[in-house]
Amino acid sequence: MPTHAAPAPRRHSVAVPIGKFWVGGGHPVHVQSMTNTDTADIEGTARQIGELWRAGSEAVRVTVNNIESAIAVPKIRDRLAMMGIDVPIVGDFHYNGHQLLADEPACAEALAKYRINPGNVGFGRKRDGQFGAIIDTAQRFGKPVRIGVNWGSLDQSILAQMMDENHARAEPWDAAAVMREALIRSALDSAAYAETLGLGRDRIILSCKVSGVQDLISVYRSLAARCDYALHLGLTEAGMGSKGIVASTAALSVLLQEGIGDTIRISLTPEPGESRTREVIVAQELLQTMGLRAFTPLVTACPGCGRTTSTFFQELAKTVQDHVRARMPEWKLKHPGVESLSLAVMGCIVNGPGESKHADIGISLPGTGEAPVAPVFEDGQKTVTLRGEKIAEEFVGIIERYVERRYRG
């Protein structure tokens, strides 16, 4: 009998605590996101963190770039606590992080993790001292650090050194290969230096972000083979809309399938007026469709064809998906396991009954010229046939009753 293919076993990595959960060490891959508010805007930032958390983000990164934002961080954490939201806040530091953490110890304590970029933590003779100051603060407050290298701000001294080494090779690498190796070297050298300063391996996460799919896959394969640090995955500046989603999915799915990656972020550029939460939903759906996590019931729906000239099945599929996402904050508290529920909304008789039987709950709507009836299947058995103007309302009611019955806490 054929079996479902599964991702490769997870790469062995050191487990790192982030707030109340762990990443690496065989723990589930977690979803991270980032705000785009001015962090000094306490109300606006807390509100957006809340939106990202409700969408399913398990850690939220905020920019800490000036004294005002550093002062705001503990107030944001307190505001979130008043809202009943307990999500790790990650501080993103560039250029002046050492000074901000020293000047505002309340910020250093309130953050669950620090993210620093070795390419701009400091320059020249100041670099090691400023890097060391952040590591010292992390040790004093017991915080993990993500050493996040980005090819848009790569340490130029390492790149120059790599170029010199490459020039001396009998068979020089191409420029892209040198760049990739410089990224990896920057991450590994910085992590090794942090360890010499006393930061444990169980407090270090690495990332090496680029914007090219094949480059990202190559970098992380090499990085994973050369260390056992926990790894954060993400395609930097992924882009907007379908381009950003496709590029991120193409890169991350390959690595995740190979067991590489402990946290992920989908760095989408929001379209005008679009919610920031889309990046969270894409990350969740990537992990869920790969069988690595389950976050919310997903709806199987046919794409439509000449047999489905009515758009009702599309409208119903959206209604159902929106409904279960809206209900998940309450369902996940009252109904453990509901995130694995499978739903199907099908548009005609060709695949409708079969797909509906495979789902926990499915409905097969009438296609063009078919009888105006919609059989509903629960656990593979037909239970009722819906007719009339209230099919959507009645089907949502069936889902609610099924969840209450099957997933009683």
Side-chain angles (χ1 to χ4, degrees):
M1 176 179 290
T3 58
H4 293 291
R10 294 285 304 285
R11 160 186 169 270
H12 173 73
S13 61
V14 176
V16 179
I18 308 294
K20 294 182 179 179
F21 64 84
W22 293 74
V23 302
H27 292 276
V29 180
H30 284 83
V31 173
Q32 182 171 298
S33 59
M34 186 174 185
T35 61
N36 61 356
T37 58
D38 179 354
T39 307
D41 177 4
I42 297 168
E43 289 289 342
T45 302
R47 183 168 55 252
Q48 189 174 84
I49 291 173
E51 292 170 356
L52 292 165
W53 173 79
R54 279 186 287 274
S57 184
E58 294 164 300
V60 180
R61 183 156 51 111
V62 300
T63 296
V64 188
N65 61 329
N66 52 36
I67 195 67
E68 293 80 11
S69 60
I71 291 170
V73 166
K75 298 177 182 179
I76 292 168
R77 185 198 57 183
D78 293 344
R79 187 64 51 87
L80 291 169
M82 292 174 60
M83 297 162 63
I85 296 171
D86 183 12
V87 62
I89 303 175
V90 180
D92 192 49
F93 295 98
H94 297 270
Y95 309 112
N96 59 353
H98 62 291
Q99 193 65 56
L100 295 174
L101 289 168
D103 290 347
E104 292 298 325
C107 171
E109 183 176 11
L111 292 168
K113 182 175 72 173
Y114 310 154
R115 186 267 179 161
I116 56 176
N117 183 339
N120 54 32
V121 72
F123 304 99
R125 288 176 296 177
K126 294 182 178 180
R127 193 189 84 87
D128 286 353
Q130 293 176 184
F131 181 90
I134 296 175
I135 299 303
D136 180 65
T137 301
Q139 291 184 83
R140 282 193 290 117
F141 289 97
K143 306 297 183 180
V145 175
R146 172 158 72 93
I147 297 173
V149 184
N150 191 300
W151 74 347
S153 51
L154 182 59
D155 186 334
Q156 293 303 300
S157 64
I158 289 182
L159 183 58
Q161 178 186 340
M162 290 291 304
M163 289 294 186
D164 289 342
E165 292 176 7
N166 189 55
H167 182 71
R169 287 190 176 93
E171 297 183 6
W173 300 351
D174 63 38
V178 176
M179 176 73 79
R180 291 193 295 267
E181 180 61 20
L183 285 164
I184 296 165
R185 183 87 61 87
S186 177
L188 293 178
D189 288 355
S190 297
Y193 183 49
E195 286 197 62
T196 67
L197 296 173
L199 190 66
R201 297 175 78 78
D202 63 344
R203 289 294 187 275
I204 298 174
I205 298 172
L206 298 186
S207 66
C208 286
K209 291 191 174 183
V210 299
S211 57
V213 170
Q214 296 297 341
D215 287 316
L216 191 84
I217 293 169
S218 177
V219 165
Y220 272 92
R221 280 175 172 164
S222 182
L223 189 62
R226 292 160 64 175
C227 73
D228 63 356
Y229 296 112
L231 300 180
H232 171 76
L233 304 185
L235 194 72
T236 191
E237 291 96 32
M240 182 180 290
S242 61
K243 186 271 179 184
I245 293 171
V246 171
S248 294
T249 302
L252 269 59
S253 60
V254 171
L255 294 167
L256 292 167
Q257 184 71 16
E258 296 177 4
I260 298 170
D262 301 296
T263 65
I264 67 170
R265 182 188 173 208
I266 306 296
S267 299
L268 291 182
T269 303
E271 296 185 17
E274 182 182 64
S275 172
R276 189 75 167 176
T277 59
R278 193 180 189 196
E279 69 174 57
V280 178
I281 293 170
V282 172
Q284 287 185 327
E285 290 182 349
L286 170 59
L287 293 175
Q288 187 154 348
T289 54
M290 292 189 68
L292 295 171
R293 294 282 303 274
F295 296 96
T296 188
L298 296 180
V299 179
T300 297
C302 67
C305 67
R307 291 177 177 270
T308 56
T309 51
S310 170
T311 61
F312 180 67
F313 82 95
Q314 299 165 319
E315 296 161 1
L316 179 58
K318 185 176 188 307
T319 295
V320 171
Q321 188 71 78
D322 290 348
H323 179 80
V324 297
R325 282 201 171 276
R327 295 286 283 137
M328 273 307 294
E330 180 180 346
W331 278 357
K332 67 184 178 183
L333 297 177
K334 295 176 58 179
H335 304 297
V338 69
E339 62 275 4
S340 62
L341 175 69
S342 60
L343 304 165
V345 177
M346 303 302 294
C348 78
I349 198 172
V350 173
N351 292 317
E355 286 282 0
S356 296
K357 289 177 182 178
H358 288 309
D360 293 319
I361 310 173
I363 185 170
S364 180
L365 296 167
T368 305
E370 294 176 15
V373 297
V376 175
F377 299 83
E378 299 180 47
D379 298 322
Q381 302 297 317
K382 180 180 173 181
T383 57
V384 68
T385 299
L386 303 182
R387 299 176 175 83
E389 301 296 321
K390 295 186 177 182
I391 288 178
E393 179 182 331
E394 292 173 1
F395 187 60
V396 167
I398 289 170
I399 294 171
E400 286 282 350
R401 291 189 292 274
Y402 184 94
V403 168
E404 183 67 34
R405 183 174 68 250
R406 179 173 171 180
Y407 300 100
R408 289 176 180 170

